[in-house]
Amino acid sequence: MSDIRKVVFEENKLEKKLCRLVGQAIGDFGMIEDGDKVMVCLSGGKDSYAMLDILLKLRERAPIDFEIVAVNLDQKQPGFPEDILPNYLKALGVQYHIENQDTYSIVKRVIPEGKTTCGLCSRLRRGILYRVADELGATKIALGHHRDDILETLLLNMFFAGKLKGMPPKLRSDDGKHIVIRPLAYVPEKLLERYAVDMHFPIIPCNLCGSQPNLQRGAMKDMLREWEKKHPGRVENIFRSMHHIVPSHLMDGEAFDFKNLEISTELSGIAARSTGDKAIDETEIDELACGTLIQGSYNPSL
């Protein structure tokens, strides 16, 4: 009996932590507002299942009213179990829509064998989801990218595109008509893996991209996990750094006006918040190493 109580306690603790992290991200970035209709994109993977589950729980206790509609894009991959998601969503009693579009055949026809399909697949998926959002009257589109996805994207852009760029927790689409949110932005993947097991989500594997070998994103994931294993806290610090950008100590002339930099005793804006001629914040590094400093709104210990 004591073992059962311990399992239940641990499951409840994990659920509460996920709710806190998702609620914190929603609040920090103003992801969901009163009267919103949130289109939750459900792929059949652990991340989107968890996102839907946590958003439904948060809606019950939120001080605002918002709708949730779950949307799955059936891309007609061979062997895709078409009954799993509808049955799951019916059992939940949540409003849902299944969009049937054969993007699988398009991707396989256009992309040569052995080449990465993610780019084209993502563009096709994005266009379809924007259209569906319009048809459903959704004001927000929720995607299931988590903290590790954001960090992997940051590293991919740094290593292969020469850009300091990640996945924003909230963005406006290129046409300006849609707001995309990532409620799991603060959630480490390892928590989602545990939650998926606890909740017995009916996971549907992706046979199009998830099984491709040697993807660079996979290499980034492995590197982050190895860092965290050898140097606990390093991944958290990298993620925290995305909350504390100091353009005056980088090299982007559009983000900081280096050319017109002049001597001044009165500083304002970003200049006032910069660290002057100090390249490394030794005091903060010492405090972080001792675990005594938590900066900004992101707090992974919640």
Side-chain angles (χ1 to χ4, degrees):
M1 182 64 71
S2 61
D3 289 341
I4 295 175
R5 284 199 296 268
K6 183 178 180 180
V7 170
V8 172
F9 174 77
E10 290 299 324
E11 289 178 353
N12 289 340
K13 190 166 72 171
L14 176 57
E15 178 186 300
K16 289 178 180 178
K17 183 163 188 174
L18 289 173
C19 285
R20 284 197 296 268
L21 288 172
V22 172
Q24 186 184 356
I26 290 173
D28 285 351
F29 300 102
M31 292 187 188
I32 300 176
E33 302 165 287
D34 192 43
D36 268 340
K37 184 172 186 178
V38 182
M39 186 177 99
V40 178
C41 299
L42 195 64
S43 67
K46 68 181 189 312
D47 307 327
S48 58
Y49 274 125
M51 175 175 63
L52 175 62
D53 183 81
I54 297 301
L55 286 178
L56 288 171
K57 287 180 168 65
L58 290 177
R59 186 180 62 172
E60 294 176 1
R61 64 192 77 163
I64 60 173
D65 293 321
F66 63 94
E67 293 182 61
I68 289 177
V69 54
V71 170
N72 169 253
L73 171 58
D74 184 347
Q75 299 177 270
K76 299 305 174 186
Q77 297 179 27
F80 183 81
E82 298 179 359
D83 60 317
I84 288 182
L85 283 172
N87 290 341
Y88 177 79
L89 294 168
K90 286 176 185 175
L92 278 182
V94 66
Q95 180 186 353
Y96 73 92
H97 171 78
I98 306 295
E99 181 70 16
N100 294 286
Q101 295 288 335
D102 187 3
T103 61
Y104 179 87
S105 296
I106 297 173
V107 171
K108 298 302 287 185
R109 184 177 70 249
V110 174
I111 304 297
E113 191 67 32
K115 297 293 183 179
T116 302
T117 61
C118 295
L120 177 58
C121 182
S122 177
R123 288 194 298 274
L124 292 172
R125 220 171 38 238
R126 187 183 309 128
I128 293 169
L129 291 175
Y130 287 167
R131 174 180 57 77
V132 173
D134 286 336
E135 293 172 356
L136 296 176
T139 55
K140 301 286 173 58
I141 301 172
L143 303 180
H145 298 118
H146 47 69
R147 184 204 67 175
D148 298 54
D149 288 325
I150 293 172
L151 284 172
E152 290 158 17
T153 301
L154 174 69
L155 296 180
L156 283 169
N157 278 314
M158 290 175 66
F159 293 171
F160 299 102
K163 294 180 181 179
L164 200 58
K165 175 183 176 182
M167 279 181 176
K170 182 179 181 181
L171 65 86
R172 183 172 53 222
S173 61
D174 291 341
D175 61 9
K177 297 179 180 179
H178 305 92
I179 296 294
V180 176
I181 60 175
R182 294 184 168 97
L184 301 181
Y186 287 170
V187 181
E189 185 176 20
K190 62 184 179 183
L191 297 185
L192 297 171
E193 291 170 346
R194 284 171 48 198
Y195 196 60
V197 173
D198 291 348
M199 297 297 293
H200 305 288
F201 292 138
I203 305 298
I204 303 173
C206 175
N207 298 320
L208 180 58
C209 57
S211 58
Q212 284 183 263
N214 304 319
L215 290 179
Q216 292 297 345
R217 182 171 291 278
M220 298 301 104
K221 183 187 295 291
D222 292 341
M223 183 168 64
L224 286 169
R225 292 193 173 187
E226 186 65 20
W227 281 351
E228 187 59 28
K229 182 179 177 180
K230 290 185 176 179
H231 309 281
R234 175 176 290 183
V235 173
E236 290 290 354
N237 287 340
I238 296 173
F239 189 65
R240 187 180 289 112
S241 74
M242 299 181 73
H243 295 249
H244 303 280
I245 308 299
V246 185
S248 62
H249 283 53
L250 297 173
M251 295 186 179
D252 189 337
E254 294 184 5
F256 188 84
D257 190 3
F258 291 100
K259 289 184 178 180
N260 295 312
L261 196 63
E262 297 177 350
I263 295 175
S264 175
T265 58
E266 296 182 6
L267 301 177
S268 61
I270 293 176
R273 298 195 304 272
S274 75
T275 52
D277 60 0
K278 195 165 57 170
I280 299 178
D281 301 324
E282 290 90 349
T283 303
E284 292 184 2
I285 288 175
D286 289 341
E287 291 177 347
L288 282 168
C290 295
T292 59
L293 179 66
I294 295 294
Q295 298 185 32
S297 58
Y298 171 63
N299 187 346
S301 65
L302 283 173

